[in-house]
């Protein structure tokens, strides 16, 4: 299970930290809990992991801050902060898997990455990946949905962090213009998800973390939505329509549709 987690970073003051529930920035823990219960009904004996990689700050701290613990989530075998304690940029580590992408679009790859996309080995070996995202827009990627949640949010920090001491990955992956869309396309293509569940209880403008909003309350959108699909392209297409964005203008959605990774044509999507 890959919940969208973008909690307020370590550097923010305590009074700036977001509410634990229905905050529009992170997946509501109660929604994740229900998903765990549904998975356990279907498969009582398999391993269930919650795996996350925060965009800013220490993932394990954010997980704890938002209550993602085994005590609060019975049925979970392990909660993994992807790459947090692994050797920094040790590409030969047995904790990593390097993958080449056939229809690669991203062209800004640092040479030391050897033109490969790197995954945490446990994540890459999972039989089923469920992307649990929020309903919000994004300053660079237009839409934060089921695809971007893993296309950016599943990167192991030990490879993609900007330094040994920081989790922010903006200098490793170019986030400007088409570059972020191309990276999301490639990373997602290397390990597509099997199911998407959208926590749209609280939508969010000024995504991904209400930066630039007049206030946090002004950015919140009370949507009261829960959405789910086996087709990540289709559900992210609907995400785009809900927030007023033409999905054809979201490059990574359009490119994945062109690759036949899912359906973008709204006339073919039943809601």
């Amino acid at each position: 299970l890959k919940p969208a987690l973008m909690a307020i970073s370590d550097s923010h003051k305590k009074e700036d930290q977001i509410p634990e529930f229905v905050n529009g920035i992170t997946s509501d823990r109660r929604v994740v809990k229900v998903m765990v219960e549904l998975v356990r009904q279907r498969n009582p004996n398999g391993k269930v992991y919650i795996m996350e990689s925060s965009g800013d700050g220490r993932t394990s701290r954010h997980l704890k801050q938002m209550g993602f613990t085994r005590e609060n989530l019975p049925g979970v075998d392990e909660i993994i902060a992807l790459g947090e304690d692994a050797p920094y940029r040790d590409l030969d580590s047995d904790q990593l898997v390097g993958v080449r992408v056939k229809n690669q679009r991203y062209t800004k790859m640092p040479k030391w990455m050897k033109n490969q996309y790197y995954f945490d080995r446990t994540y890459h070996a999972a039989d089923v990946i469920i992307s649990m995202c929020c309903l919000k827009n994004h300053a660079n990627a237009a839409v934060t949905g089921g695809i971007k949640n893993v296309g950016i949010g599943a990167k192991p920090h030990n490879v993609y962090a900007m330094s040994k001491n920081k989790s922010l990955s903006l200098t490793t992956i170019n986030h400007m213009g088409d570059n972020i869309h191309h990276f999301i396309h490639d990373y997602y293509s290397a390990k597509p998800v099997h199911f998407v569940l959208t926590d749209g209880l609280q939508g969010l403008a000024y995504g991904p973390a209400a930066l630039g909003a007049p206030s946090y309350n002004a950015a919140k959108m009370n949507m009261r939505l829960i959405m789910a699909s086996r087709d990540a392209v289709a559900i992210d297409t609907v995400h785009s329509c809900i927030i007023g964005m033409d999905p054809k203008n979201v490059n990574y959605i359009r490119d994945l549709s062109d690759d036949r990774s899912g359906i973008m044509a709204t006339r073919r999507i039943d809601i």
Side-chain angles (χ1 to χ4, degrees):
L1 305 177
K2 170 61 177 70
L5 188 67
M6 182 70 184
I8 299 298
S9 70
D10 301 349
S11 60
H12 283 63
K13 296 179 181 179
K14 185 175 182 180
E15 58 266 26
D16 292 332
Q17 293 188 357
I18 62 176
E20 187 172 359
F21 300 116
V22 287
N23 54 65
I25 296 178
T26 73
S27 299
D28 193 302
R29 187 181 78 234
R30 297 168 297 181
V31 176
V32 178
K33 182 175 183 290
V34 172
M35 176 55 80
V36 172
E37 292 168 354
L38 291 171
V39 170
R40 279 300 182 206
Q41 289 176 18
R42 189 69 178 265
N43 185 345
N45 301 315
K47 295 286 187 181
V48 176
Y49 302 113
I50 288 178
M51 293 178 277
E52 182 54 74
S53 178
S54 293
D56 187 7
R58 191 165 177 83
T59 303
S60 59
R61 179 183 183 275
H62 292 334
L63 285 163
K64 185 176 180 181
Q65 174 187 338
M66 305 311 295
F68 284 86
T69 66
R70 293 183 65 190
E71 291 74 21
N72 288 334
L73 296 162
V76 172
D77 291 280
E78 189 175 355
I79 298 174
I80 300 172
L82 294 167
E84 185 171 273
D85 297 318
Y88 184 63
R89 292 188 178 175
D90 178 6
L91 302 185
D92 297 322
S93 168
D94 59 6
Q95 299 181 45
L96 293 175
V97 174
V99 179
R100 295 186 184 275
V101 174
K102 184 177 181 181
N103 297 319
Q104 181 175 335
R105 284 173 166 78
Y106 187 68
T107 60
K108 302 292 185 180
M109 192 85 73
K111 289 184 178 179
W112 58 266
M113 287 189 181
K114 304 175 184 178
N115 210 36
Q116 295 190 92
Y117 296 84
Y118 293 91
F119 292 84
D120 174 271
R121 186 171 294 277
T122 301
Y123 178 93
H124 191 265
D127 297 302
V128 177
I129 297 288
I130 299 175
S131 178
M132 304 193 65
C133 58
C134 296
L135 180 64
K136 53 188 176 179
N137 59 13
H138 191 277
N140 302 95
V143 178
T144 291
I147 296 169
K148 182 188 171 293
N149 185 37
V150 296
I152 290 292
K155 307 188 315 297
H157 277 173
N158 59 312
V159 176
Y160 291 96
M162 61 190 294
S163 73
K164 290 182 180 180
N165 300 319
K166 293 185 178 180
S167 298
L168 200 64
S169 59
L170 294 179
T171 58
T172 305
I173 300 304
N174 191 307
H175 277 52
M176 303 309 296
D178 289 342
N179 293 307
I180 188 171
H181 292 267
H182 291 161
F183 184 88
I184 292 169
H185 166 274
D186 291 356
Y187 203 81
Y188 177 86
S189 296
K191 182 67 178 179
V193 305
H194 300 83
F195 196 77
V196 176
L197 182 72
T198 302
D199 168 11
L201 298 175
Q202 186 73 263
L204 194 82
Y206 298 89
L211 300 176
S215 68
Y216 169 56
N217 285 332
K220 291 192 296 184
M221 302 289 170
N222 186 13
M223 302 300 293
R224 306 185 193 185
L225 294 177
I226 294 288
M227 302 167 59
S229 179
R230 294 181 180 178
D231 185 333
V233 174
I235 196 169
D236 278 10
T237 294
V238 176
H239 288 169
S240 301
C241 294
I242 289 173
I243 68 171
M245 173 69 67
D246 186 338
K248 294 191 294 293
N249 293 331
V250 184
N251 293 355
Y252 65 84
I253 296 177
R254 185 191 63 232
D255 291 344
L256 287 166
S257 174
D258 290 343
D259 291 347
R260 301 183 182 277
S261 296
I263 295 171
M264 188 181 72
T266 53
R267 68 183 182 277
R268 296 176 57 198
I269 300 173
D270 293 329
I271 299 178

